[in-house]
Amino acid sequence: MNKEKVNRVVIVGTGAVGCSYAYSLINQGVVEELVLIDINEAKAEGEVMDLNHGVPFAPSPIKVWSGSYQDCANADLVVITAGLAQKPGETRLQLVEKNTRIFKQIIKEIMKSGFNGIFLVATNPVDILTYITWKESGLPKERVIGSGTVLDSARLRFELGKYFNVDTRNIHAIIIGEHGDTELPVWSHAKIGIENLDDVLERKKDLKKECLEEIFVNVRDAAYHIIERKGATYYGIGMSLVRITKAILKNENSILTVSSYLEGEYGQNDVYIGVPAKLNRNGVHEIIEIELNEKEQEQFNYSVSVLKDTMKSVI
């Protein structure tokens, strides 16, 4: 009897990010099987019990259980949210050594299961930990992906939507670079609806170009503001991970600013960093290389150099 293929996602780490992602996956009916793994097995079991009580209200059937690394063997996607969280006043890059040690052990256990799907990394510093995952797993670069600047780009679209009084879904603007303090907005390609950003600013005299820098700073520092107030960020990244998951599992060929491995694109090599990439069932199908202006290219080069300098201590 032929068994119909189902999509299985394994989440490693049942902290606030992992559980926000799981909750969003169930609410949006993205997968048929969802496995939660945590070093604290009782925590994973409790989260699964709670989530399963919401399954009757989900848009489509889903089987959710707490499992082990053996469940990765048949997984289409393993999403890693485990690791130490960013503390108030701590940068994402300061987490690197602690979370690298944790990751090396996790990847080793996953690969022992015979996993041959796609990795999606969310733990910070996400660009460096995605590189570690690629190196430790031995999987092709296109099948190891980081959440990159998908959330940062969403934050930018939200803030621009507020400023221009336009539905945020009609804002087309991205953040690229490190998911962190050296990220940059690509103003040269930003559109409000179908108009270039500069054209809108020229037409609407009450809107000021100078406000764009303040908008970007609020986006760049959003995590610090949220952590200061509530201790952690998780809803936004949880929904960002679902968006990436849908692009992959539904073979969408959607373009999202994920952390991808560069081999000459944007003049850079041997680094994982947030750039626009086309995602489908094979992972990163293509890196979209847009033309940056001189300032943007300089900022991007600087972002790469900071990541590479930080990586020296763990590679």
Side-chain angles (χ1 to χ4, degrees):
M1 189 174 92
N2 287 330
K3 182 175 180 288
E4 188 179 343
K5 179 75 174 78
V6 297
N7 286 315
R8 177 184 295 185
V9 168
V10 175
I11 303 174
V12 181
T14 60
V17 172
C19 290
S20 296
Y21 170 53
Y23 181 69
S24 296
L25 275 178
I26 293 169
N27 269 303
Q28 295 187 42
V30 179
V31 296
E32 292 79 36
E33 294 185 347
L34 181 59
V35 187
L36 270 60
I37 298 174
D38 199 283
I39 193 169
N40 183 343
E41 292 180 10
K43 170 78 159 62
E45 289 170 4
E47 296 294 354
V48 164
M49 291 166 70
D50 199 2
L51 288 166
N52 269 324
H53 297 159
V55 166
F57 308 112
S60 58
I62 180 171
K63 182 183 177 186
V64 187
W65 72 95
S66 60
S68 69
Y69 288 117
Q70 286 304 310
D71 291 295
C72 297
N74 297 319
D76 300 277
L77 187 67
V78 169
V79 182
I80 308 179
T81 65
L84 298 171
Q86 193 175 351
K87 296 175 183 174
E90 186 176 34
T91 70
R92 296 179 182 96
L93 291 180
Q94 285 170 334
L95 288 170
V96 65
E97 291 188 16
K98 293 179 280 190
N99 279 339
T100 293
R101 286 194 296 272
I102 294 168
F103 255 61
K104 286 185 175 180
Q105 187 59 37
I106 289 172
I107 304 305
K108 181 181 174 184
E109 292 298 322
I110 292 171
M111 296 312 293
K112 277 195 329 196
S113 76
F115 173 66
N116 196 34
I118 293 172
F119 272 113
L120 174 55
V121 178
T123 309
N124 281 317
V126 68
D127 303 291
I128 293 173
L129 291 176
T130 305
Y131 188 98
I132 295 289
T133 301
W134 172 60
K135 280 289 191 184
E136 294 292 315
S137 70
L139 289 176
K141 65 184 188 303
E142 62 270 13
R143 288 202 277 125
V144 181
I145 303 166
S147 54
T149 51
V150 172
L151 175 57
D152 310 270
S153 297
R155 287 168 171 161
L156 180 65
R157 291 169 62 201
F158 174 75
E159 293 294 342
L160 288 173
K162 270 202 311 185
Y163 187 67
F164 288 94
N165 193 26
V166 171
D167 183 344
T168 190
R169 293 169 299 180
N170 294 137
I171 304 293
H172 307 290
I174 61 169
I175 300 281
I176 63 171
E178 172 213 352
H179 173 55
D181 295 342
T182 66
E183 66 187 34
L184 61 132
V186 186
W187 295 127
S188 62
H189 288 268
K191 289 183 182 293
I192 310 299
I194 59 172
E195 285 185 278
N196 290 326
L197 176 63
D198 286 342
D199 292 342
V200 177
L201 290 170
E202 181 65 29
R203 183 166 58 81
K204 292 182 173 287
K205 301 300 183 186
D206 56 321
L207 301 175
K208 305 297 180 191
K209 191 166 187 174
E210 296 73 40
C211 292
L212 295 181
E213 182 58 26
E214 183 183 346
I215 286 171
F216 165 63
V217 170
N218 284 335
V219 168
R220 183 195 65 200
D221 297 344
Y224 297 126
H225 298 312
I226 296 169
I227 290 167
E228 187 182 323
R229 288 162 173 79
K230 57 174 268 188
T233 75
Y234 36 90
Y235 298 133
I237 186 59
M239 293 182 75
S240 299
L241 292 170
V242 173
R243 181 68 196 92
I244 299 167
T245 301
K246 286 171 71 175
I248 293 168
L249 297 183
K250 296 187 183 298
N251 203 34
E252 288 183 346
N253 286 315
S254 290
I255 297 170
L256 296 166
T257 51
V258 292
S259 188
S260 308
Y261 185 74
L262 300 188
E263 288 181 302
E265 297 90 353
Y266 296 94
Q268 298 293 341
N269 283 284
D270 195 34
V271 68
Y272 266 90
I273 196 165
V275 290
K278 187 192 291 184
L279 300 180
N280 62 24
R281 193 78 202 196
N282 296 315
V284 172
H285 178 69
E286 177 189 0
I287 291 174
I288 310 299
E289 192 170 7
I290 55 176
E291 187 176 341
L292 303 177
N293 65 32
E294 189 176 344
K295 180 186 177 185
E296 291 163 349
Q297 186 66 57
E298 285 176 4
Q299 289 176 299
F300 185 78
N301 293 346
Y302 175 69
S303 191
V304 169
S305 69
V306 169
L307 280 176
K308 286 190 168 184
D309 283 347
T310 309
M311 275 200 299
K312 286 175 183 174
S313 65
V314 292
I315 298 300

